[in-house]
Amino acid sequence: MPVRTPKIAKETAIRFSVTIALILVLSALGLTYEIAAGRVLAPYFGTSLLTWTTVIATVLGGFSLGSALGGIVAERPRDVALRNVRGALVATAVLMAASPTLLSMVYAWGARGTGGMFFSVLIVFFPASVLVTLTSPLLAKLAMEARPGREGSSLGFVLAAGSVGAIFGAILAGFVTLPLIGSTATFAACGVIALLCLPWVRGGAAGDTGVTLAAAGFVGFAGLAGSPACQYESGLSCLTVVQRGDAVQLVSDGTMQAAEQRTPAQGSDGTVGLALDYTQWLWDRMDRDLGSDASVLFVGGGGYTLPTKLLATRPQSHATAVEIDPLVTDVVRRHMPRAADMIAQTGYDASQDGADGRLGIIHADGRIYLNETDQRFDAVVMDAFSSGSVPAHLVTREAFARLRDIVDGPVYVNLLDRPDGPLARGVNAILKEIYPQVQAVQGEVYASGRANILFAASLQPLTPLDSLPDGYGATRISDARAFTDDRGWVGHR
């Protein structure tokens, strides 16, 4: 009696190696999309533990739902299942490419604060996360059917391909696409990759060619004509330079990080005055506390305005600026003339042995530098920000204890927080544990409800300033638990 070929064998048109490759590519696509989502969110809602937790939870939730729905699709007749999968890939491409535009629209409609951030992430990133994973169950089923009797090893290869693809996607986004082409182009590239998978998903009824071509045109348009999320972008920063009146401002992830005055009358020291009130208070404090040949560490380069002021007014002084992102320094060189001149005249790479100059620049994480340096300083200015707040590992008891080991004089700290907010209380508790003299002042409260809260801490008495910038005054900060590396600041929202 002739052996009848199973119907399923006739329907399977995708080789095992192709299914594994598709699973790997789509897994990489999903992780690239997830990391790009966290990056493009920063200009609108900042970067914090809360934003990343929301993005990761939302995207993983989408992956889970997509896998469940994909399992239902995989049980349908083969031609219907393949048509559904191809449709999901087309929709994935469109939604991924459109993500930056959708996010800006939701933000323009009034999404703000924690609730607005949750809503934005859910509306913008959840649908594509569902659709990109909807294909996986059918591909896994095809992979096991392609090797009858070897289902166990086939499933193992499927799972391994998914994991390897996720690893590759994370590396690709963090080290290649986001730093080199930016978030908007990364989303468009995700859409292109989704469409390129279509020819490999063969079999069943043909899809609507017109819809596919329209999707390809939209993705191409989004990549070429879409507005970049940032004027300058790296894997760490989303920077925009804004000219307002006589000041040039450096905005990072939606928060103004630095400003330099260009045209006002020069002071007797030959330098243009500081444009931001908080930097004026820090400078007044430094000017009162430090000697003519002070060596000052700046954790957070920003606009390099304070190092520039120090070196211009004290020809015997030295500054070391630790800035995590080389792009920030490059943008300052391009757009902030006074700081750029100081960097050009006195700057040097302080990470190189034997280098000489008065302004040492180190591109590294501030905490890593503190842990590794053997240099000593007369004072330190802690003015490092990630989006709208201070990186948690720079405001712990252990970090300030290390500062006490390498800094002989005062410690100056700039924070953004609500009046008597949790960040200010935690930092105040740390400083009071380590230093007998602590002063705190607060500036005007912004529309966001936050204000600059500035600290000066010292082993020696701090002489009161003759005057304070407009809107600044002494502030009372309540007692609280000191942050530690184990239980630290979780980020402002």
Side-chain angles (χ1 to χ4, degrees), residues 161-182:
S163 297
V164 171
I167 295 169
F168 179 75
I171 294 173
L172 182 67
F175 290 92
V176 181
T177 62
L178 289 173
L180 296 182
I181 65 175

Side-chain angles (χ1 to χ4, degrees), residues 398-444:
E398 293 85 351
F400 280 95
R402 177 58 183 159
L403 281 176
R404 176 65 186 86
D405 291 338
I406 64 173
V407 177
D408 297 323
V411 173
Y412 309 106
V413 184
N414 173 40
L415 307 176
L416 270 176
D417 196 12
R418 301 191 307 273
D420 199 27
L423 176 57
R425 293 197 301 268
V427 172
N428 183 62
I430 295 170
L431 294 175
K432 286 190 171 182
E433 284 185 4
I434 299 175
Y435 296 95
Q437 302 291 325
V438 178
Q439 289 185 3
V441 298
Q442 176 187 306
E444 293 183 356

